[in-house]
Structure formats: C-alpha cells, structure tokens
Amino acid sequence: MTARRHAAEDLAAEHSAVLGGLLREREELLATLDRVAALNGTARLIRESIGTHSGFVAEITGPEQAVIRWLSGNRTDALQDLAVPIGQGIGGRVLALGRPVRVNDYVSSPSITHQFDAQVRGEGLAAMIAVPIMSGTDTVAIAYAAMREPRDFGDDAVLSLEEIAGEAGRALKLASVAEADRETALSAERLRMQSALHDSVGALLFSIGVQVRNLHEDISDNPALESRLRRLEGDVSAASRALRESLLALSESSPERALPVELAEHCRSFQARCGVPARFVQLAPVPRLDAERTGLLVAAVREGLLNVEKHADALSVVVSLLPSDDGVQVVVADDGTGHRGEEPAPGTGMGLRALAERAARLGGRVSLVRDEDDGCTLRAWVPEPCRRR
C-alpha cells in the first residue's frame, strides 16, 4: 500500500472520529432539550437577569392568539393559562406589532387595551415590558418582565429582555430539531416493528389458518371436534384482521415525517449491507413536499449511497436533510479514499445525469463534487411547491 494511501486513510479516520464526536455531542445536547424546558427556563431567567419581580412567557397557539403558560415569581394563578388575543393588552399588542411594548403602569396606561386589568391587579403587577420571541421571521412566543410598582423601564431593560428572547428563540429552534429527531426515530422503529410483525406473527397466523382448514377437511365424523376447529378458524381470522389493523396503524406517517424516516432507513440498510458507518442527520425541520419532490430527494440519497458503495472505499458516510433557499436539500458526504482515479469525473454517471434532469424539471438541481481530501459530496435541492426558481 502506498504512502499516499496510508496518509489518506489516516486523514479519513481522523475526520470520521471528529465527525462522530460532534454528532454524539449534538445528540446529547438535543436529548436534553424540549420546548417546555426552554420556555420555563426563560421565565426564570427574565426575573433573575433583569431583576424584575416577575417573568413570564406566552406561547403562540394560533395566528392571532397567545396563551401565558410559564411564570416565575408569581404570587397567584391569575395569569396562568390566560389567553391573549392579538391586539389586546400588552402581549396582544406585541403580537400585532411584532416589536417590544412597555408600560409604566399597566392598569392606567392609555397605550393598551384593558381586558386583563383584573388579572394584572390580582397578581399585583404594575410596570411591564413584553417582547416577541422569534424563530426566523415568525413570532413563536412572547416574553414578559414585570414589577409590582409603577416605574419607567429604560432602553437597557428592553435590550436585556430582547437578548433573553433571542436566546429563547435559539433554544426553541434546537428543541424543534430534537423533537423532529425523536419523531423520526420513533417512526423508523414503528416501520421496523411493522415489518417484524408482518414477517413473524403474520406468517404464523397464515400457517395456523392453513393447518386448521386442512384438519377441518380431513375430519368429517367428529362433530364436537369440527365445532372446535370452526371456532379456532374464526379466532385465527379475527387475529389476522386485528394484525392487519395494527400494521396499518404502525405504517401511518405524516408527509413531513415520511421523508426523514425513509432517509434514515436507507442509511441503516446501507450500513447493514456494507459495514460502513452511515449517519442520518436532520439539521432542522423541513417544509412539507409533494410526492414528486420527496421521491427525487429519496432517489438522490439512494444514488449517492450506491456510488459510495461501488466506488468510494469510504470509512463513513453522513446523509443530511435541511431547509435551504425556500426549499429542501439533502447532502450525501463520504470520506472515500479509493478508486477515484479509475472512475469518471464526479457527476458524469448515467444515474446522476438522470437525477439532474429530473430535478431540473422541478426547478431544482443536483451536483456531485470531489472534496479536497478525496471525499465526495452529493447535493440535491428542490424548491417548495409553487416556489420554483
């Protein structure tokens, strides 16, 4: 083996170890996050960081309403689960304007409506600030800070609350990724359970049914046994129907979950077939795609994994799914070191050309490039429906 090959393998192994460590760290981080923990911690952080008497957070439950869910420093339950429609009170005004709102004394302020004066009085609050918590360009929650006496909140207090809201927005984004990862893993496990039940229990019930029918045909002079066999045949038929219903329930998956589940299964099958570690990573929730676009992305990953299997001599593969440029992108990246000089330039294979043509008809694109360290990266991107470029 040449010195260059040794060096390439060492570099690939090093990159694989680093990537594996990063992915493990990411999984450990996401495993500790959820939406409730993120927003409950935000309410406490508001009170402790800004020095207010109370901090609370409302989640957006619809396009025109927020509900106060998480409170810190409260004395009563007057604000707990309070629904705040758009435009009403200080939170509803934030929802309408998409920017911070502050009042020196809530119940006497002329700049807001007063549907919630009774609840605010019940909690004993006066001065209040509210700011939007954003994810991208969308308001996903509202952060409040409040004092129990009138006062003039300065710009520094507003800036501090906006910084906390920014951190909360980033935490919510991570929490949504963690939730997507958990749902993908659960859906994949449901798919494996479906296959296992079909192959084991389904086959067993079919076999029992055949044997019972054969016995029933062979026995014609024993009415008692015939009656028992008929009951058993009915039981087997009922069990088969129940199994079919269970398999159907296990196979049900929402369109936005179907794509990551299928990509994860392709990675699992590739690893089982080739013995090469293959990881699937969904970097963020993706918009729902139609069947044609979903099929193209799945075909791109399948083609990318096939190319790795045939040519790359790789030590590891990572398949990524992410939103990108008003669409969805999949990436198949390998650290292959072998046979590159014996194959055509990347992107010239018949399978890839067919994929590229198929993507172009949808307004998308497919590319395969060789990396500086001898690995290859395949990218396939499609726009969201009705947003072609």
Side-chain angles (χ1 to χ4, degrees), residues 140-350:
V140 295
I142 300 171
Y144 298 77
M147 299 295 290
R148 299 192 181 280
E149 66 274 345
R151 63 171 289 182
D152 183 9
F153 277 117
D155 292 341
D156 288 344
V158 175
L159 182 60
S160 296
L161 187 56
E162 285 184 310
E163 289 175 352
I164 293 172
E167 290 294 330
R170 287 185 283 275
L172 287 177
K173 186 173 182 179
L174 281 174
S176 68
V177 174
E179 182 179 359
D181 282 357
R182 287 191 291 269
E183 290 182 1
T184 297
L186 178 59
S187 296
E189 185 60 29
R190 285 159 59 100
L191 190 63
R192 285 191 284 272
M193 288 174 60
Q194 179 200 23
S195 178
L197 285 172
H198 178 272
D199 294 344
S200 59
V201 180
L204 179 60
L205 286 173
F206 177 79
S207 176
I208 293 173
V210 169
Q211 293 178 53
V212 169
R213 284 191 294 273
N214 289 341
L215 285 171
H216 187 72
E217 292 172 359
D218 292 341
I219 298 173
S220 57
D221 57 352
N222 191 330
L225 184 56
E226 283 187 7
S227 176
R228 290 175 61 186
L229 288 174
R230 279 195 294 271
R231 286 198 300 271
L232 180 57
E233 193 172 4
D235 291 344
V236 170
S237 178
S240 296
R241 287 195 299 272
L243 177 64
R244 285 195 296 271
E245 292 173 0
S246 298
L247 295 179
L248 180 61
L250 284 171
S251 67
E252 290 176 351
S253 177
S254 63
E256 57 268 27
R257 290 265 56 81
L259 176 58
V261 168
E262 189 157 0
L263 298 185
E265 282 299 293
H266 276 297
C267 288
R268 187 184 66 83
S269 298
F270 171 87
Q271 181 169 321
R273 186 172 66 250
C274 306
V276 176
R279 304 292 300 274
F280 169 70
V281 182
Q282 183 172 355
L283 299 177
V286 297
R288 180 181 300 185
L289 299 177
D290 56 30
E292 193 170 8
R293 288 166 174 78
T294 298
L296 173 69
L297 295 180
V298 171
V301 169
R302 190 165 53 239
E303 179 70 19
L305 292 173
L306 180 62
N307 281 342
V308 174
E309 182 178 354
K310 289 163 55 179
H311 303 301
D313 197 16
L315 298 178
S316 65
V317 185
V318 176
V319 174
S320 305
L321 173 68
L322 64 154
S324 174
D325 296 333
D326 295 329
V328 179
Q329 179 173 251
V330 293
V331 181
V332 182
D334 71 78
D335 58 2
T337 60
H339 309 304
R340 293 300 186 187
E342 302 171 10
E343 59 181 281
T348 61
M350 288 294 297

Side-chain angles (χ1 to χ4, degrees), residues 23 56 101 129 171 254 305 314 336 353 370 373 384:
L23 289 174
F56 43 102
V101 176
I129 320 171
S254 63
L305 292 173
R353 285 205 299 272
R370 186 173 298 163
D373 57 359
E384 293 181 53

